[in-house]
Amino acid sequence: MDKGLIPRRYAKALYEFATEKGQQDAIYSSMQQLEKSFVAFPDLAKTLANPFIADSDKTKLLEEAAGNPDNDKSAKIYSDFIALLAQNKRMDCMRSIAKAYIDIYREDKHIFRVEVTSASQLTDEAKDRLDKVIRQNVGSGTLDYNYAVDPSLIGGFTVTVDSRRLDASIAGQLKKLRLDLVK
């Protein structure tokens, strides 16, 4: 079975169960915190994959990495889910499951992840104009922005909305020109 398919199935089952219990938002927060923990502590994935570490220790680690749950109901759902993963020997898939859960939640709630990278810091006015243009192209939904500065763009910006990308940077234009000249 595909390693990407397994986490997606677990995440979908968790999302459906959490939705049934009215806890999908709280679990979403836990999954976001868990993903941040995986980024901050790269050895977390190695620890979960280590067969010599007890499942009880891995469980404590995953509960700590997800932060404090919003309420007792979501804490129970999350801890029961980790117990299921331990029983099925799938704790090493937790990062992929968290990512898949976040994707499923965003898709269901119409939340679009927008990554804006510019050559220099954008002004509030520029952010507002960019927001209007993006909203015209995305339609209804919530936009979750992440801004970054990359001087190597020389000028302009790139915008990535989920998997679609617009490159309006000078570096991108130069690269395109170089490719055209090579042809």
Side-chain angles (χ1 to χ4, degrees):
M1 192 175 264
D2 182 14
K3 266 292 209 192
L5 185 59
I6 292 169
R8 178 94 179 151
R9 285 184 178 172
Y10 275 99
K12 186 175 181 185
L14 176 60
Y15 182 74
E16 288 173 359
F17 184 72
T19 300
E20 182 182 301
K21 298 296 182 187
Q23 298 300 311
Q24 71 274 21
D25 297 339
I27 298 296
Y28 175 69
S29 295
S30 295
M31 292 298 163
Q32 284 184 309
Q33 181 56 47
L34 185 61
E35 176 55 24
K36 288 176 187 173
S37 295
F38 274 108
V39 171
F41 304 103
D43 288 341
L44 181 57
K46 293 176 188 172
T47 303
L48 293 175
N50 188 335
F52 298 109
I53 296 177
D55 286 345
S56 60
D57 292 336
K58 292 177 185 180
T59 298
K60 288 177 191 171
L61 195 59
L62 283 173
E63 287 175 351
E64 187 71 31
N68 295 328
D70 290 347
N71 57 52
D72 291 339
K73 240 183 180 180
S74 65
K76 174 115 173 76
I77 291 170
Y78 184 72
S79 62
D80 287 349
F81 182 71
I82 292 172
L84 174 70
L85 292 178
Q87 179 183 348
N88 293 337
K89 306 288 186 221
R90 296 285 187 200
M91 292 180 94
D92 61 326
C93 295
M94 193 60 195
R95 183 173 190 184
S96 298
I97 292 169
K99 286 180 177 182
Y101 185 95
I102 291 168
D103 289 344
I104 291 167
Y105 181 91
R106 285 181 172 165
E107 185 180 320
D108 190 48
K109 301 289 185 181
H110 304 288
I111 299 172
F112 298 96
R113 187 180 40 205
V114 181
E115 303 282 335
V116 179
T117 305
S118 57
S120 62
Q121 192 71 26
L122 293 175
T123 64
D124 289 339
E125 182 183 323
K127 288 179 181 179
D128 290 342
R129 284 187 295 172
L130 195 55
D131 180 63
K132 287 178 186 173
V133 171
I134 293 170
R135 287 189 186 282
Q136 288 173 348
N137 290 297
V138 170
S140 65
T142 304
L143 301 178
D144 181 14
Y145 282 96
N146 184 29
Y147 294 96
V149 175
D150 181 2
S152 71
L153 295 178
I154 304 171
F157 57 89
T158 63
V159 176
T160 305
V161 180
D162 289 335
S163 62
R164 298 174 291 189
R165 183 179 176 140
L166 166 70
D167 189 344
S169 67
I170 292 175
Q173 298 298 323
L174 290 173
K175 183 178 178 182
K176 184 175 185 273
L177 181 62
R178 189 174 346 129
L179 290 173
D180 288 345
L181 288 174
V182 171
K183 289 181 184 178

